Amino acid sequence: SGQSFIMQLKAFANKSAVRTTGRKAVVAFAKPTKGWTGGEGGAQDLDKWYGPDRKLFLPGGLLDPVEDVPEYLDGTLAGDYGYDPLGLGTDEEQVEKYRVNELLHARWAMLAAAGIIIPEGLQANGADLVGGTWFETGAAMLNGGTLNYFAVPWGIIGNPLPLFAVVAIEIGLMGAVEKFRADGTGPQGYSPGVGKFESDIFEGVDPLYPGGPFDPLGLADDPEVFAELKVKEIKNGRLPMFSMF
């Protein structure tokens, strides 16, 4: 039942969780996370998002959870609403592959949404940007304009770049990021709360949710809150993917 599923999740939350700090993996006991406004905080109603009694893509009266929801969508993944009308998942292994791709695209889409909104907002408030509206940027640059690549809220760093330079920078940066991700290695990094670290800090951790330097505030220290944050991330990631489409 959904209740027993949530009880299992809560039992896991009471066990110790492994966190990666520096080059060593240390054991950190799950701790309750306070709310943003100082309240008790913690996850809220996880049974709404996980297990067989979770919310589905249609209300109960319009959907039979047994006949209309594929068996491989069993409520273990964050954001699983039982929706796969084309049967693309076929099995659990295929669903996992789709989840990796969906989550990566969702994160890029959230960054892209910020990259669209922020320049337009800066230009609307007086910033000297070329093509601050995203669908006008290419035309402005093709017409001889240049792009101040490092615009910041308090001003413009003068570094006018032509279109070919911007394209080369973007391809180089994206190529490097994808190569590091595929190889599982990369240059030395720095993160608040962790300090300098090497890429081997991520060995043996979940590549989708590595934690450590990517969670300097410790938001996922509580496994129950972490489970809820996974749902919020994928839901907020699906929205910009849809809007960009």
Side-chain angles (χ1 to χ4, degrees):
S1 68
Q3 198 65 27
S4 62
F5 182 90
I6 298 304
M7 288 180 67
Q8 293 175 10
L9 184 62
K10 290 183 177 180
F12 170 77
N14 291 327
K15 296 179 181 179
S16 58
V18 176
R19 291 183 59 204
T20 307
T21 344
R23 293 192 181 186
K24 298 180 180 178
V26 298
V27 175
F29 291 93
K31 62 182 182 181
T33 305
K34 297 297 183 181
W36 290 104
T37 57
E40 287 301 317
Q44 304 294 323
D45 298 328
L46 286 179
D47 55 344
K48 294 194 305 184
W49 313 117
Y50 294 96
D53 298 328
R54 70 195 184 282
K55 288 187 175 182
L56 299 174
F57 66 95
L58 286 175
L62 302 176
L63 185 70
D64 186 337
V66 177
E67 295 184 1
D68 297 332
V69 177
E71 292 183 0
Y72 50 81
L73 297 179
D74 56 5
T76 57
L77 287 176
D80 176 6
Y81 287 89
Y83 186 73
D84 188 13
L86 300 180
L88 299 177
T90 66
D91 54 43
E92 292 183 8
E93 183 178 353
Q94 190 65 28
V95 171
E96 288 289 345
K97 292 180 180 179
Y98 279 123
R99 168 43 52 94
V100 172
N101 293 330
E102 180 186 31
L103 192 56
L104 291 176
H105 282 83
R107 289 168 176 170
W108 280 119
M110 285 188 282
L111 288 173
I116 288 172
I117 296 171
I118 293 174
E120 188 169 350
L122 292 174
Q123 187 179 46
N125 287 277
D128 184 19
L129 297 177
V130 176
T133 304
W134 68 274
F135 55 83
E136 297 176 351
T137 306
M141 296 190 72
L142 288 172
N143 289 332
T146 57
L147 179 67
N148 280 311
Y149 200 73
F150 300 104
V152 292
W154 56 86
I156 299 295
I157 299 176
N159 60 337
L161 298 176
L163 179 60
F164 77 88
V166 173
V167 172
I169 291 173
E170 295 287 352
I171 291 176
L173 291 175
M174 289 297 297
V177 168
E178 285 300 304
K179 186 177 188 306
F180 292 148
R181 184 178 68 85
D183 295 344
T185 61
Q188 187 183 68
Y190 175 85
S191 173
V194 176
K196 293 181 179 180
F197 61 89
E198 302 289 345
S199 59
D200 60 4
I201 192 176
F202 300 114
E203 291 180 0
V205 301
D206 185 345
L208 290 179
Y209 304 100
F214 286 97
D215 187 19
L217 300 180
L219 299 179
D221 285 352
D222 183 335
E224 288 191 47
V225 173
F226 182 35
E228 187 177 50
L229 289 175
K230 286 181 179 180
V231 176
K232 291 180 178 180
E233 179 186 34
I234 195 62
K235 288 176 68 177
N236 283 281
R238 286 167 177 168
L239 183 60
M241 281 196 292
F242 183 79
S243 64
M244 291 300 296
F245 177 78

